[in-house]
Amino acid sequence: MTTPPTLLVTGASGQLGRLVLDHLLDTLKIEPSRIIAATRDPANLDAYAARGITVRAADFAKPETLAAAFKGADRLLLISTTSVGTRLVEHQAAIDAAVAAGVQHVLYTSIPNPVAPELLIVHDHAKTEDALAASRLPGWTVLRNNWYFENLNHTIPQLLQSGQWFNASGDGRIAYIARSDLARAAATALANGGSGKSALTLGGAKAYTVPELAALIGSALGGEIAAIPVSVPDLEQGMIGAGLPAPVAAVLASAETHIANGRLGDVTGDYQALTGAEPQSLESWLVANKAALAKAA
């Protein structure tokens, strides 16, 4: 009888990482003894340790911690870190450690169309994908995750207050998807995925323009939101004027160009093919979160 693979989740105490653990345990019914959760602070995962998961300390900024953390893992989910600008070094350290530990398959959370040059954060993802392809890993899977519904938690209250959505995304569309659905996809690919080398584009079943989003949000939450087109430079300066740090405004403005160029609008069906389920619709997510979003406004 073949021994089932041991599964390791990095960044396991983050929002996506915890949801991946939940789906492994509760949706896929994976035996806890087969799961390793790696995090910088193991105490943050005491509840999962109590359920039988092995929790280990791992800090990508300290590569010397990775050998022990990855020991015995067969399949590893590399959740991209939040250290924009330096995370490529961290990701490379993790890939090198996975190879040294004998990991057979690494999965990485990337973004759609990572070769597009206009998005300022694209370099880290594109180069990490290149590092996977150049590695001696027997297999890898790139999970190109679209924007979360939850990203709108920061936007919707302001839209409801002002009634205006300044944007530079043109006719570009976004195939938003719930964070939990992406976690389910990652858990499924980690537990049940193949052994080859592939990339999946994971997004919702429908993609929306900003005017369509404005109308949908206004209808679901009770308010009028006007989508107002502006230039990318004007949008960036407006965000700086509103108090955002210039580097953050530059990244967000570059994302508008990414959207306008059609980089986030792909509806592929990869999520359904992987999980056998339909992703949650934006309409149902808005209804489920209506009270919290309205309160935040």
Side-chain angles (χ1 to χ4, degrees):
M1 180 179 293
T2 303
T3 302
T6 297
L7 314 174
L8 190 150
V9 178
T10 72
S13 61
Q15 291 176 307
L16 181 64
R18 288 174 182 268
L19 288 171
V20 171
L21 295 179
D22 291 340
H23 279 296
L24 287 172
L25 291 169
D26 302 325
T27 305
L28 302 178
K29 308 299 182 184
I30 300 298
E31 178 63 36
S33 62
R34 289 179 52 203
I35 304 171
I36 302 169
T39 177
R40 284 179 294 183
D41 187 354
N44 289 333
L45 294 177
D46 283 348
Y48 291 95
R51 296 187 66 179
I53 286 178
T54 298
V55 178
R56 294 177 180 170
D59 186 341
F60 289 0
K62 299 176 181 178
E64 66 274 11
T65 68
L66 302 182
F70 293 179
K71 184 178 180 180
D74 299 303
R75 298 175 65 84
L76 182 151
L77 174 63
L78 171 56
I79 295 178
S80 57
T81 72
T82 58
S83 306
V84 176
T86 62
R87 60 182 167 184
L88 177 57
V89 174
E90 298 176 349
H91 294 167
Q92 183 67 66
I95 292 169
D96 292 342
V99 171
V103 173
Q104 295 299 296
H105 201 96
V106 168
L107 302 95
Y108 172 67
T109 58
S110 187
I111 59 173
N113 292 299
V115 296
E118 66 272 354
L119 184 61
L120 294 183
I121 61 172
V122 77
H123 175 82
D124 293 343
H125 292 296
K127 292 301 182 182
T128 300
E129 292 195 20
D130 289 345
L132 284 171
S135 74
R136 292 184 288 108
L137 288 165
W140 47 261
T141 303
V142 175
L143 305 173
R144 293 176 176 160
N145 293 343
N146 214 311
W147 274 203
Y148 300 155
F149 289 159
E150 288 79 5
N151 291 356
L152 294 169
N153 284 334
H154 307 292
T155 304
I156 288 175
Q158 298 173 4
L159 298 178
L160 293 176
Q161 287 179 349
S162 69
Q164 298 176 314
W165 191 338
F166 295 98
N167 71 93
S169 58
D171 295 326
R173 295 178 176 273
I174 311 169
Y176 279 105
I177 185 169
R179 181 188 280 118
S180 180
D181 280 339
L182 290 175
R184 178 174 182 171
T188 302
L190 180 63
N192 304 323
S195 57
K197 299 176 180 179
S198 62
L200 303 175
T201 297
L202 301 171
K206 185 175 181 180
Y208 300 86
T209 64
V210 167
E212 290 170 346
L213 286 167
L216 181 61
I217 292 167
S219 175
L221 302 182
E224 291 287 333
I225 302 171
I228 302 173
V230 297
S231 69
V232 171
D234 285 346
L235 182 65
E236 184 174 349
Q237 289 304 310
M239 288 188 285
I240 293 172
L244 279 181
V248 175
V251 169
L252 294 177
S254 75
E256 293 285 303
T257 304
H258 198 64
I259 296 165
N261 288 341
R263 312 298 191 187
L264 298 181
D266 294 337
V267 177
T268 66
D270 285 352
Y271 175 84
Q272 295 93 322
L274 175 62
T275 66
E278 290 292 321
Q280 183 182 17
S281 70
L282 179 56
E283 292 88 343
S284 68
W285 181 84
L286 288 168
V287 171
N289 293 276
K290 179 176 181 179
L293 292 167
K295 183 178 180 180

